[in-house]
Each structure stands twice: as C-alpha cells, then as structure tokens.
Amino acid sequence: MNLEFSPEEIAFRDEVRTFIRDNYPQELVGLGNREDLTREQFLAWHKILGKKGWSAPAWPQKYGGTGWTSTQRYIWSEENARVDALMPLPFGISMVGPVIYTFGNEEQKAKHLPGILAGDVWWAQGYSEPGAGSDLASLKTTAVRDGDHYILNGQKTWTTLAQHADWGFFLCRTDPSAKAQEGISFILVDMKSPGIEVRPIKLIDGTHEVNETWLTDVRVPVENLVGKENEGWTYAKFLLAHERSGIAGVARSKRGVERLRTIATQETMDGTPLIKTDEFARKISQLEIDLTALEFTELRTLASEAAGKGPGPESSILKIKGTEIQQRLTELTLEAVGNYGAPYARGMMHDGSNEVGVGPDYSNFSADSYFNMRKTSIYGGSNEIQRNIISKMILGL
Amino acid sequence: MDFNFTEEQTMIRDSLARLIKDQYDFDTRRKVVASKDGWRPEMWAQFAELGLLAAPFSEEDGGLGGGPIDAMVVMEEFGKGLVVEPFLQTVVLAGGFLKAGTEAQKQDHLAALISGERVFAFAYAEPKGRYNLADLETTATKDGSGWKISGHKAVVIGAPWASHLIVTARTSGGRRDAKGVGVFIVAKDAKGVTTRDYPTVDGRRASEVHFDNVTVGADAVIGDPSDSLGLVEKVTDEAIAALCAEACGAMKVANAQTVDYSKTRKQFGTPIGKFQVLQHRMADMFIEHEQSISMTYMATLKLEEDEVTRKKAASAAKVRIGQAGRFVGQQSIQIHGGMGMTDELAIGHYFKRLTMIDSEFGNVDHHLKRYTELSAADVAVAAE
C-alpha cells in the first residue's frame, strides 16, 4: 500500500494540468456550478475533450476510452475540479454509453458511440414516471410491437435537460403480463420523432433543469432496442450502478470546501471571521473529515474496479455519502453568507439582463444551490433505496 | 497509488486469524479476562513465534522489514478477536519510541521486545491532563549523569503485565509547555515505583503508577530530554492509526453478529431484519465500518508525511472512527434488544471495547479541535 504518485503519474498530472489551462474555454470560467447554461456552454468543453480523446476516461479503450488507470482518472477529476471545469454531461458518457458498448449490437455501437464521445449528440434519460420514482419497476410507459416498429405511449418525468436532447434512452414495458421487473425493455429514441412532447418543470430554485416527456404513438424502429426484449431491467440496473460510481463528486466537494473556507474568512460574527469561531470552524472540519472518508472509500472502490471488479452494490455508499456531503456543503455555504442568502438573484434577472446581484458575489445563488442540491438524495435511486440495496445485496437481509 | 497488501501481510493476517479462531474464541477470552492475571503470556509467546512482534520493524532493527501497515493488519485481527494482549502498548508505542532510541537501547530493549521477553506499557496520561500530551505534572530532574522521576500516571493500560514503562515527564518549563518534555524507560521494579492494578471495563488491565524519586541512568532517556513532545506526538499518531484498525476489526464483527441476530430473532412473527427501519440502520452501520476502513488506510499511509499532514490525518481518522464506533456499538446493542444487555453475549463486549477506543489518545471532541487548529495553521502557513 502507498499513496504516492509515480513519476509517470506526476508527469500525467502535469500534462493534464497544462492541457486544461491551455484549452479550457475562457468564457466558461466560473460557470462550473450553474445549472442554467445554454446547450453550447454545456457542450463546449466536452467537444474539446472529444477531439483530444479524453471525453470518456472510464470507457474501455476499444470503444474510445482513454485506457487510464484508476489513479489517472482520479487525477483527471481532481484537475478538472481545481478550475471548476464543466464536465461532460453524464447522460451520454456515464449512462447510455456503457450500456450500448456492453449490451448493444455492432450497428448501435457504430451509430451512437462516436456522437457521445464527440459531444455532438445530447442524450436524455427516460426512466422515472409520475407513478414510478424510486419504485422504478412499476413504470407504465408501453412499447407495443407493430411490424418492424415499436409504438411508445406514456409519460416520463424528471427528464433532465431534455429540452436540449437529440436522443433519449427509455425504459418501456413490452410485456404487460409479466412480473414488474420482467417485461421491461431498454429502447433508444430519436427525440425529434413525432409524438414526443417535452414540457418544462420549474424547480424550487427557479431553474428549468427537468421536464415532463409525453410519448403519444411514437414510432421507434425495432433496431433501437438494446439487448434483448423484456430484459431491460438488467441494463437499467447496470446503468444505475455506473451512474452511482461517478456520483460521489469528491473532487468537486473538495473544491467546495475550499470555497467555503474562503467565504468563512470574509464573513464575520461579532467582528471575528467565521472561520475563527469554534462553532463554524468545527462544522467545516467535520465536513472535511467526512469528505476524506468518502475520498478514500472511492479510491478503494476504484482500486477494486481496476482489479477487474465492476461497480457493485458498494457504489451505493458513494451515492449516499457523496450526496449527503454535497448537501451539507451547500447548507453550510448558505449558513455562512448570513443575510445575503435571501436576495433572489434569478428573480432580479430579466432575459439578457446584466444586472449585478446584491451582496458579495459568493452569496449569489447560495440559497439556490442549497435548494437545488436537495435533489441529490432523491435522484439516481433515492438514498433510502440505496440503503435497501445495501441491506439486501450486501447484508442479505 | 496502491491499496493492495503484500504477500507477507496477507500471510500475517491469515495465520493470526487462524490462531484467534482456534485459541481465542469468546468463551476462552471471557475466562482469561476474569482470571487472576487477565492475559496469557503463552499467547504472547505465540505472537512472538509467529513474527507479529517483529513484523513492523526494519531489518536493521532486528525486525522483518514491515511497517505501520503490518501493525494495522495485526490490530484489525486483534479487534475482531477482542484480543487483550498489549501489542499496541509494547510493539506500536514502546517499539515506536525505541526505533528513535540509541543503538544500545535497541540492542537491549528492542531485541527483548521482539523476542517477546520484555513487555512494555506507556505511562503518559495524568489525572488532570486529559488528552493533552504536554500537560505534565510528573517531573524528571537532573541527578548526576542520570535523572530522578516523580509523579502520578493515570490509567496506564497493560502496566500490570509490563516489565518496563515508557514514561513522559517534564524536564523544564511550565505545565503544558511544548518544550521541556522528556521520555524515559523505567523498569517497573525500579525503587520508588508503586502501582495500583485494576481491570478496565473492556476486559484489559491497567494501573495507577506512582513515581517517588525514581532514579534512572542517562541510558534511560529516549531522544532529547528537553524537547521530545514531537516524538511523543509522532508515536501516539502511530498508535492512533493502529487503534483505528482495531476499531475496524471490532466493528466488522459487531455488524456481522447484529445482522445474523436480526435474521433469527422474530417479533410480530417476522425476523426483525425484515423491518425496513432496522435494515436502513444496519446499512448505515455497514457504511460507518467501510468509511472507518478508508480512514484507517488513509491515516496509516500518511504516518511518514510531514508533521501537519500526519497529525491532521490521525485526528481526522480518530474523529471519524470515534463517531463510527459509537454508532455501531450503540446500534448493535439496540438491535439485539434485551439480549444485547447480557454479559454472556459477545456483542456487549464489542460495544465496550469500541466505547473505550473513542477515549484512548483523545476522543472525538479533542481531535476535532486539534484538526481545526491544524487547519487554521495550515491556512496561515499558506498565506505567508
């Protein structure tokens, strides 16, 4: 056991650092923590990474991955977090991509993987439904075979950033008579298909991040079925485990703690910087300590993945702890800014407005982030579901 | 970066696990703990034979060339078996000091430690000192070429079994000054040493040790007698890492026993493990254990780094593991229900050990404070 980077790893880190410094788009600096960007802003860095061959660090090299070791991937995420870089959206790279190269056929791989890598195609996920959230297997959207097409009908919800999407991956019921988890299929859908309607859902932080997606007699060629009909649940679970392994967000939370420390040196109470008060300083310490535990748990997970074990139910730990820490971080940040947590920056901005927020810059959006981050313990299988997974899959209860 | 154990470390783990399974079952332990001596010197001899006592020392020092990771492996297995023999006190603590000692001290004490003949205890805490390693009323005053030691050391774990004590004492300065801390090796049978021996709540033995003008020679001094707080801190950080490993072992077994119990114990006609509220609690116990393993690796791997990094790592681990141990211990008892309160079940003994680990070498509050102060110092240094 040792924590040292080898000379090769240090050289790699320097290479990565230089590349990011020279290539990260200037106009995106400082926007890494926002949810309300344009499609172009979201994809700009992804496209640059795609050209470099670095957009999918975790994929097998055969499909356009980098072939990096787990340590190199760790270095990569640390270096990106250092500058708050906007990372490729997870829907293509972390979710549907691995499903396609693992379970898809050759045509599907050839057709879809290049666009995902390049950042040319925006994917949306069609998992949840109004009546099927954490109990995902109770989903009702149907896909009925009609010759060489499926006809899709139903309603999906929480389709993240689907307003920009070119393609979607949908879970649909193909055998209504089967038990809940059987009879589900994993289908790729061109979002421009007639019969698809995407309606915005406004969230409590004022952003339009998620949507309702209505499917009315949407015709999808049978060739868009991934893997076998009625076996989509297996692929869905595989996807969720992959999603969870990247969900810990350690590097970003470390950066968030640094930011919080800076805020706490500028905010004062009775004339004393918050960072020098026992109460607040210890809250930061506790958060940082818990984050260290998460970081080393993630490193252990990466090491066991490198030894050939895919992400297993242990990734539920990363989901639970990672999201709890992200939430506590925004909670403490809001607490740190005091009264200036109240102004509603988004409410002051009209379309195209350049209005400057009130209070210190770091206080803008601090409440919005806190409100927005409540989603993390709900999405990707709620943290309660993750505890169910641990108790069933690991503890055998 | 590498999280694998070497072949030797795996071998240590396997052979020790076998030994504990064969000779350290819970009923045997209970009898030993209740016996007059409270430990088994013959078990110590077996540890020596297995190479456990030599594992963490370099080959130059007469060891097997391992280090803190080997100690971690041993301590985790000790935690699983609730082993009471003083590996932490003798090998990690006394061994840690002797590594910094003179060639003569190594040849005399370290060789006898590794062979298993000599057992040590670390007399550092005092009745009023709580967890502050520099808060010393015990004094060592120059006496010719040697020293005279006087004072009262509190709850010296393993002292009833020890032949020698490692003693911290103030050689100059005021109480709690960083400067003026010395470290001395004192034979327990030296004139002026008196002890009051007693059992501890977690099945070990300890002593109140009084030094009344105890004379030691110049060869009893480890390091610089006027400035050894740094050494004391380094060695206790090593002990903290080892203690964290012990806690991981204890948590692992406590969790496993609780899960097993919840599968058999029925309430309202259903095994209680089927109740979601208990499933989630046991999932949290599992997470706490995993996070503790991570922190133990982290702290152990950072023992050789610069002082601030090492201290922060040790404190962070101690905070996290103190909290985890309490949570796992308390929930284990709760889920066992009334049965968890009985002395005959092992679970209560794991709970007691985990509880005591929190207060050894500083509890959660102490280390959260130390971590916070170190972080502030870190920022100040960066700003310079």
Side-chain angles (χ1 to χ4, degrees):
Chain A
M1 275 195 196
N2 73 75
L3 290 178
E4 278 153 41
F5 288 147
S6 65
E8 292 77 26
E9 285 161 350
I10 290 170
F12 173 79
R13 185 192 64 196
D14 294 342
E15 182 192 353
V16 163
R17 196 172 288 181
T18 309
F19 180 79
I20 293 175
R21 189 194 62 210
D22 295 345
N23 293 280
Y24 191 73
Q26 278 307 304
E27 62 275 19
L28 294 182
V29 170
L31 296 182
N33 296 297
R34 297 273 294 274
E35 292 87 21
D36 53 352
L37 307 177
T38 65
R39 178 183 163 117
E40 288 65 36
Q41 287 174 315
F42 270 124
L43 289 176
W45 183 225
H46 185 162
K47 282 178 193 282
I48 293 166
L49 295 177
K51 285 201 187 81
K52 176 80 176 168
W54 284 3
S55 59
W59 288 21
Q61 239 170 327
K62 179 176 172 194
Y63 297 118
T66 54
W68 289 344
T69 63
S70 53
T71 307
Q72 286 175 307
R73 273 149 53 195
Y74 166 78
I75 292 170
W76 171 246
S77 52
E78 287 264 309
E79 291 301 317
N80 275 278
R82 281 185 54 203
V83 297
D84 291 325
L86 272 160
M87 291 304 283
L89 293 163
F91 316 108
I93 297 289
S94 313
M95 298 182 188
V96 73
V99 171
I100 291 174
Y101 68 64
T102 308
F103 303 107
N105 58 36
E106 291 311 314
E107 290 75 31
Q108 288 166 342
K109 292 178 201 171
K111 179 171 178 185
H112 295 295
L113 298 182
I116 293 174
L117 288 166
D120 289 337
V121 182
W122 186 300
W123 284 83
Q125 104 162 295
Y127 267 41
S128 297
E129 298 185 7
S134 289
D135 178 18
L136 183 57
S138 67
L139 62 88
K140 291 198 167 56
T141 294
T142 55
V144 178
R145 187 76 182 257
D146 175 30
D148 52 5
H149 282 77
Y150 287 109
I151 313 290
L152 273 52
N153 277 289
Q155 184 196 352
K156 294 287 177 182
T157 190
W158 313 131
T159 29
T160 307
L161 299 173
Q163 65 266 40
H164 304 302
D166 306 301
W167 279 79
F169 47 100
F170 286 77
L171 289 179
C172 305
R173 196 160 290 290
T174 32
D175 182 356
S177 60
K179 279 195 293 183
Q181 287 160 2
E182 294 158 20
I184 291 172
S185 295
F186 192 101
I187 299 174
L188 309 179
V189 181
D190 184 338
M191 293 296 281
K192 287 183 289 297
S193 309
I196 295 186
E197 191 193 345
V198 175
R199 300 179 193 166
I201 301 174
K202 192 174 172 186
L203 294 182
I204 52 176
D205 62 335
T207 54
H208 168 203
E209 192 182 9
V210 290
N211 302 274
E212 292 180 324
T213 302
W214 297 76
L215 301 137
T216 312
D217 294 330
V218 179
R219 290 181 71 81
V220 179
V222 168
E223 68 217 39
N224 288 3
L225 172 76
V226 175
K228 293 198 181 112
E229 194 176 81
N230 296 330
E231 289 186 12
W233 188 248
T234 311
Y235 320 139
K237 279 195 302 184
F238 169 88
L239 177 149
L240 286 171
H242 260 266
E243 179 188 7
R244 265 168 233 143
S245 68
I247 224 163
V250 169
R252 241 145 251 277
S253 289
K254 278 164 83 174
R255 184 77 188 85
V257 172
E258 271 178 45
R259 202 179 299 119
L260 175 60
R261 272 190 194 287
T262 312
I263 295 173
T265 55
Q266 296 177 45
E267 289 291 325
T268 56
M269 187 163 73
D270 302 330
T272 305
L274 275 187
I275 193 84
K276 290 200 192 292
T277 66
D278 284 351
E279 299 83 356
F280 204 80
R282 284 185 202 178
K283 281 183 193 174
I284 296 179
S285 293
Q286 182 73 58
L287 181 66
E288 198 172 59
I289 287 168
D290 292 348
L291 179 56
T292 306
L294 176 70
E295 178 182 13
F296 276 78
T297 302
E298 183 174 41
L299 290 174
R300 286 170 56 216
T301 310
L302 289 175
S304 86
E305 274 183 53
K309 286 172 63 192
E314 291 84 356
S315 63
S316 293
I317 299 178
L318 302 180
K319 163 71 174 36
I320 294 170
K321 286 301 173 191
T323 55
E324 284 178 359
I325 284 171
Q326 289 157 26
Q327 291 180 340
R328 277 165 59 200
L329 189 54
T330 55
E331 189 178 356
L332 279 189
T333 305
L334 175 60
E335 196 178 319
V337 303
N339 290 326
Y340 278 120
Y344 182 33
R346 214 166 258 122
M348 293 187 286
M349 291 195 296
H350 316 288
D351 286 340
S353 147
N354 285 325
E355 182 135 21
V356 182
V358 293
D361 278 355
Y362 55 68
S363 69
N364 293 328
F365 300 105
S366 57
D368 305 49
S369 296
Y370 167 73
F371 296 137
N372 185 277
M373 289 311 273
R374 304 317 296 175
K375 71 189 176 187
T376 63
S377 52
I378 301 168
Y379 68 34
S382 71
N383 286 10
E384 285 74 19
I385 291 291
Q386 304 306 328
R387 288 182 168 89
N388 287 352
I389 292 172
I390 291 173
S391 60
K392 289 196 171 53
M393 308 291 283
I394 301 178
L395 306 180
L397 290 168
Chain B
M1 214 176 305
D2 169 21
F3 285 96
N4 293 312
F5 293 105
T6 63
E7 228 171 276
E8 287 78 12
Q9 286 158 355
T10 308
M11 228 162 64
I12 290 177
R13 159 167 290 172
D14 294 348
S15 48
L16 182 54
R18 216 172 308 121
L19 180 72
I20 289 173
K21 186 168 173 286
D22 294 344
Q23 300 185 39
Y24 228 109
D25 59 282
F26 180 64
D27 287 336
T28 307
R29 178 194 184 268
R30 267 181 98 197
K31 285 193 197 102
V32 170
V33 162
S35 70
K36 182 172 161 293
D37 289 341
W39 75 313
R40 282 180 287 174
E42 65 271 25
M43 194 53 70
W44 195 252
Q46 286 197 58
F47 293 157
E49 214 169 290
L50 263 180
L52 299 188
L53 311 184
F57 297 106
S58 70
E59 282 163 12
E60 303 86 79
D61 288 345
L64 297 177
I69 294 165
D70 301 71
M72 176 178 93
V73 167
V74 171
M75 287 298 287
E76 191 184 351
E77 295 306 313
F78 273 32
K80 290 181 195 165
L82 290 177
V83 172
V84 297
E85 277 73 17
F87 182 89
L88 183 75
Q89 286 69 31
T90 298
V91 176
V92 179
L93 286 158
F97 283 110
L98 289 168
K99 275 190 295 187
T102 62
E103 274 317 303
Q105 285 168 340
K106 285 181 190 171
Q107 282 192 3
D108 179 7
H109 295 289
L110 196 50
L113 182 160
I114 287 171
S115 70
E117 302 159 45
R118 221 168 269 181
V119 170
F120 291 80
F122 180 34
Y124 68 103
E126 301 190 357
K128 296 287 180 199
R130 193 171 277 262
Y131 308 123
N132 183 349
L133 299 167
D135 191 340
L136 298 173
E137 289 192 288
T138 299
T139 55
T141 43
K142 208 71 176 119
D143 177 43
S145 65
W147 298 81
K148 249 192 203 339
I149 300 172
S150 286
H152 172 191
K153 291 291 181 179
V155 199
V156 183
I157 300 290
W161 307 323
S163 59
H164 289 73
L165 304 169
I166 306 278
V167 184
T168 57
R170 182 155 292 289
T171 56
S172 68
R175 191 170 159 185
R176 294 189 285 269
D177 279 359
K179 277 271 163 70
V181 175
V183 179
F184 303 86
I185 310 171
V186 181
K188 210 177 73 179
D189 59 6
K191 191 165 170 285
V193 176
T194 51
T195 61
R196 181 186 170 196
D197 299 348
Y198 50 87
T200 61
V201 292
D202 53 354
R204 295 174 302 162
R205 297 292 162 100
S207 310
E208 295 301 292
V209 185
H210 293 270
F211 300 87
D212 181 15
N213 283 313
V214 177
T215 317
V216 294
D219 59 350
V221 178
I222 299 182
D224 177 353
S226 68
D227 192 17
S228 278
L229 183 61
L231 174 64
V232 175
E233 288 175 334
K234 179 162 197 317
V235 174
T236 47
D237 283 346
E238 288 167 4
I240 284 170
L243 200 58
C244 287
E246 185 188 356
C248 288
M251 277 185 240
K252 186 180 173 79
V253 176
N255 282 350
Q257 290 188 351
T258 304
V259 166
D260 284 350
Y261 183 79
S262 79
K263 287 176 181 170
T264 53
R265 171 68 177 168
K266 287 188 177 173
Q267 295 270 273
F268 310 107
T270 312
I272 59 172
K274 292 285 171 207
F275 298 130
Q276 194 178 48
V277 68
L278 296 192
Q279 290 179 345
H280 285 193
R281 205 169 301 165
M282 286 184 270
D284 284 332
M285 291 162 71
F286 170 79
I287 294 173
E288 290 293 299
H289 173 234
E290 286 293 325
Q291 303 277 67
S292 299
I293 296 174
S294 303
M295 287 306 251
T296 302
Y297 286 7
M298 188 277 301
T300 307
L301 291 168
K302 290 192 173 179
L303 285 174
E304 295 305 322
E305 293 198 19
D306 66 90
E307 192 184 328
V308 172
T309 306
R310 182 200 78 222
K311 286 179 173 176
K312 279 181 77 176
S315 283
K318 196 65 175 45
V319 167
R320 197 73 271 287
I321 278 152
Q323 292 165 333
R326 274 196 225 169
F327 181 78
V328 165
Q330 291 168 358
Q331 297 309 324
S332 295
I333 299 298
Q334 178 69 21
I335 293 173
H336 274 82
M339 288 305 291
M341 298 300 294
T342 62
D343 183 65
E344 71 177 287
L345 233 59
I347 194 67
H349 299 263
Y350 285 94
F351 173 45
K352 289 196 278 187
R353 181 70 196 119
L354 285 167
T355 305
M356 287 303 108
I357 284 175
D358 178 33
S359 62
E360 269 180 77
F361 303 110
N363 63 5
V364 169
D365 284 349
H366 173 81
H367 281 288
L368 196 53
K369 181 165 178 271
R370 185 169 92 140
Y371 183 94
T372 303
E373 286 163 2
L374 288 162
S375 303
D378 236 3
V379 172
V381 169
E384 269 169 24

